[in-house]
Amino acid sequence: MGGPADPEHDPTAAYVLEPDYVASLTGRIVSTTGESKQSHSPINGAPVAHIPQSSEDDVVEAFARARRAQLAWARTSIDHRAAILMRLHDLVLDRQEEILDLVVWESGKARRHAYDEVLHIALTARYYARTAHQHLDTQRKSGVVPVLTRVEVNRVPKGVVGIISPWNYPFTMALCDGLPALLAGNAVVTKPDAQTMLTALLGAQLLEEAGFPKDLWQVVAGPGSRVGMSIIDKADYVCFTGSTATGKLIAKACAERLIGCSLELGGKNPMLVLRDADVERAAEGAVRAAFSNAGQLCVSIERLFVADQVYDRFVERFAARTEAMALGATLEWGPEMGSLISQDQLDTVVAHVEDAVAKGARVRAGGRARPDLGPYFYEPTILEGVTPEMTCFGNETFGPVVSVYRFHDEADAVARANDGEYGLNASVYSQDGPRAREIARQIKCGTVNVNEAFAATFASIDSPMGGMRESGMGRRQGSEGIHRYTESQSVATQRLLRFSPVLGLSDKSYATVMNANLRLLKKLGRA
Ligand code: NAD
């Protein structure tokens, strides 16, 4: 089957993928251009693969194949589709070493954070397989005339869904939104990010191995502005995950065609550490919250508001834990944080920290690039004294940089947490659960975790996940995460009674009879 050629995973040696293995993955891209783009590993800058590029015509062809496959797929039973999802669950667990190698090699993240992706796909596959009937079965509704009007609501697949995904969690972001789309009877055409294409292609291969028909999942490659926009021209629905700036372009293009879209966008996520928080637990949570995947995580925490009473103790413990973190760009298990993905990401992080320091912020931990560890490595960094004129105050860094602020009263902390345009994820630490949940309700974010950073909501697939305000539109996960890929269709069958005057009744008498009926239905408690 091929696979990585270096079984020792020695990060210092050039890690080489077998050409046949690479070809078996890149061969899945619909591409007739003869053009390719070289990708590199953030671990050591080594070349990874030549990625074939797709033209607009290739996107048209991908949709034609997907449409043909979808017609047959929509006629399969829900049980059949759910069984394939369950096989995918087992397959990603069985093949996880191969998946982890590729994710780490293409993204530079720590292996433990690559594992989160395997976990998320297994959870998503199991959840939707087990709840398929609950979401997709035809539902009986009450009709306008009891007994005589029978109403059913069908869930009809949209058709072909376009999925545009980012590089930060390349395995799960390429697949997780597609699984409910397939289960609902759709086909998918996807454009993963150029930097992490092989991982997304391995995902496509696993879908086919699990039993999804070959043409049901199409992959195209190329610049978002060209290939991404071609997808929107052809799709029946678009699921986009990426930056808020691109999300706005996608929303406009979808509006032109009057097709629906869900947008999972950026954040500047706050954590509140209340005066009664367990400081040690909050410090541990803050490390994961701010530095998982080197902060390149949509739900990661970039603003920390800490109650006066525990501020000094908390910051001391948080800084100590941060400074003790094991860092490394390697394929091995071990490091608590890996590399950033690219020079662009490193440049943004450096610019945010330099700007903050130049304007008076204090570096409490980290604050330096680490070329000795990898070309794009940056230390986990804690800033104090960040003020509104600094770029990192309200703009997403998408790197391992968190600002810590002191607060005196909780209402003020909530107001500051709600400041700005974003509203993706928040976290509240307190030993008083009801109080923490009351505060959670006041925070304008799509998910709020109490005594956890982000994993509790992100991994609870039965509940919706997504952003308020400029952090997005629509939700992934739960019933909303699958119903977005369906049209609801109401079918009402009318028996005996007609909705017009009968037996020579005048319009006026008909109205009198109907009024009496309406009053009776109200008395009977009908909705
Ligand atoms: P990005 O918007 O630059 O790119 C995301 C995807 O969109 C890529 O595949 C890219 O090729 C494509 N794209 C770019 N321009 C396009 C265009 N004009 N038309 C169509 N497609 C286009 O985002 P990024 O920098 O790669 O990803 C990081 C961002 O994603 C961060 O802001 C992060 O917060 C966000 N994100 C959000 C979630 C979430 O669930 N809310 C998850 C992961 C990442």
Side-chain angles (χ1 to χ4, degrees):
M1 201 225 63
D6 177 4
E8 296 305 311
H9 304 159
D10 178 356
T12 55
Y15 175 79
V16 180
L17 294 168
E18 299 278 5
D20 286 354
Y21 181 72
V22 173
S24 74
L25 296 176
T26 56
R28 290 181 172 273
I29 298 173
V30 185
S31 167
T32 55
T33 59
E35 291 164 21
S36 66
K37 209 174 154 214
Q38 175 76 61
S39 64
H40 294 90
S41 171
I43 290 193
N44 55 10
V48 173
H50 290 284
I51 306 295
Q53 301 292 288
S54 309
S55 64
E56 279 99 330
D57 286 347
D58 291 328
V59 176
V60 170
E61 172 60 20
F63 271 90
R65 289 182 198 172
R67 283 204 190 283
R68 279 194 297 274
Q70 193 266 337
L71 290 178
W73 179 244
R75 287 195 293 270
T76 60
S77 72
I78 291 174
D79 286 335
H80 173 72
R81 299 177 211 157
I84 300 176
L85 267 191
M86 277 305 201
R87 283 203 290 279
L88 180 74
H89 170 279
D90 296 345
L91 206 52
V92 295
L93 297 185
D94 292 347
R95 299 269 289 277
Q96 66 179 280
E97 293 306 327
E98 179 187 357
I99 298 167
L100 298 183
D101 282 346
L102 212 47
V103 169
V104 175
W105 186 233
E106 277 195 313
S107 72
K109 67 175 64 179
R111 200 171 186 85
R112 64 169 62 186
H113 300 140
Y115 178 70
D116 292 343
E117 305 203 42
V118 168
L119 209 56
H120 192 240
I121 287 301
L123 286 168
T124 304
R126 172 163 55 86
Y127 168 76
Y128 279 116
R130 287 264 156 81
T131 57
H133 284 286
Q134 173 194 320
H135 303 304
L136 297 175
D137 280 354
T138 292
Q139 306 252 316
R140 283 292 290 271
K141 299 283 174 184
S142 57
V144 58
V145 184
V147 185
L148 299 186
T149 315
R150 172 198 166 107
V151 179
E152 290 168 341
V153 176
N154 298 320
R155 288 283 168 186
V156 182
K158 292 265 187 188
V160 183
V161 172
I163 296 183
I164 301 174
S165 60
W167 45 263
N168 65 331
Y169 277 74
F171 187 65
T172 191
M173 287 296 133
L175 289 189
C176 74
D177 289 303
L179 302 186
L182 296 179
L183 185 68
N186 298 281
V188 167
V189 174
T190 176
K191 192 209 81 63
D193 191 273
Q195 296 172 92
T196 48
M197 207 66 194
L198 292 189
T199 301
L201 290 163
L202 176 58
Q205 189 183 83
L206 294 176
L207 289 173
E208 194 182 325
E209 283 182 36
F212 288 107
K214 184 170 184 297
D215 280 347
L216 201 62
W217 186 275
Q218 299 288 325
V219 184
V220 291
S225 52
R226 183 166 52 78
V227 175
M229 284 295 160
S230 300
I231 286 183
I232 297 169
D233 282 345
K234 291 274 155 213
D236 300 311
Y237 184 89
V238 173
C239 169
F240 171 78
T241 304
S243 64
T244 295
T246 309
K248 288 180 181 179
L249 297 176
I250 304 273
K252 270 191 206 148
C254 289
E256 277 295 318
R257 290 201 51 232
L258 278 183
I259 57 168
C261 62
S262 53
L263 307 170
E264 311 286 347
L265 309 177
K268 189 76 189 174
N269 307 306
M271 174 186 281
L272 274 59
V273 180
L274 306 188
R275 63 176 177 274
D276 66 347
D278 174 338
V279 166
E280 199 55 50
R281 184 173 175 175
E284 183 275 333
V287 168
R288 278 185 299 113
F291 306 131
S292 285
N293 199 26
Q296 301 166 117
L297 169 63
C298 56
V299 288
S300 80
I301 298 294
E302 296 198 1
R303 299 181 298 149
L304 247 164
F305 299 95
V306 185
D308 209 14
Q309 294 87 341
V310 291
Y311 185 93
D312 293 333
R313 255 189 321 133
F314 170 82
V315 173
E316 186 271 313
R317 292 306 303 138
F318 179 36
R321 279 180 171 272
T322 300
E323 276 162 355
M325 282 175 77
L327 310 179
T330 170
L331 284 140
E332 301 285 3
W333 294 96
E336 292 165 90
M337 199 188 93
S339 172
L340 293 165
I341 187 137
S342 64
Q343 187 65 46
D344 279 356
Q345 284 301 116
L346 178 63
D347 290 347
T348 305
V349 171
V350 169
H352 279 207
V353 175
E354 280 181 357
D355 167 78
V357 170
K359 292 172 181 162
R362 295 179 302 285
V363 175
R364 184 66 192 246
R368 285 183 310 153
R370 290 291 298 273
D372 54 316
L373 296 175
Y376 315 127
F377 223 102
Y378 199 89
E379 288 177 342
T381 298
I382 304 173
L383 298 177
E384 287 181 294
V386 170
T387 53
E389 329 65 78
M390 301 176 190
T391 310
C392 69
F393 180 84
N395 296 293
E396 184 184 43
T397 305
F398 216 55
V401 182
V402 64
S403 312
V404 193
Y405 307 92
R406 190 186 288 267
F407 73 82
H408 303 286
D409 87 274
E410 285 171 3
D412 175 52
V414 170
R416 288 158 73 188
N418 285 335
D419 199 17
E421 305 303 325
Y422 291 116
L424 189 57
N425 178 52
S427 165
V428 180
Y429 275 79
S430 164
Q431 296 191 63
D432 180 348
R435 176 86 192 112
R437 285 189 287 279
E438 173 51 34
I439 293 217
R441 261 194 293 276
Q442 298 168 36
I443 296 178
K444 294 177 189 161
C445 284
T447 54
V448 186
N449 294 269
V450 173
N451 294 330
E452 227 305 308
F454 55 80
T457 51
F458 204 82
S460 299
I461 313 290
D462 194 25
S463 66
M465 187 265 150
M468 296 183 184
R469 305 193 281 180
E470 293 212 351
S471 287
M473 257 169 51
R475 298 286 183 268
R476 62 164 55 108
Q477 307 191 165
S479 58
E480 290 171 63
I482 186 164
H483 284 164
R484 63 185 158 158
Y485 300 126
T486 66
E487 296 283 5
S488 58
Q489 179 197 48
S490 300
V491 177
T493 307
Q494 187 60 36
R495 282 183 291 171
L496 300 175
L497 192 78
R498 280 181 270 154
F499 290 100
S500 58
V502 284
L503 304 171
L505 219 58
S506 68
D507 283 353
K508 189 173 176 192
S509 306
Y510 174 75
T512 309
V513 171
M514 291 310 286
N515 287 346
N517 275 335
L518 289 172
R519 292 199 172 92
L520 177 66
L521 290 171
K522 183 188 168 203
K523 253 198 199 118
L524 293 174
R526 293 275 300 187

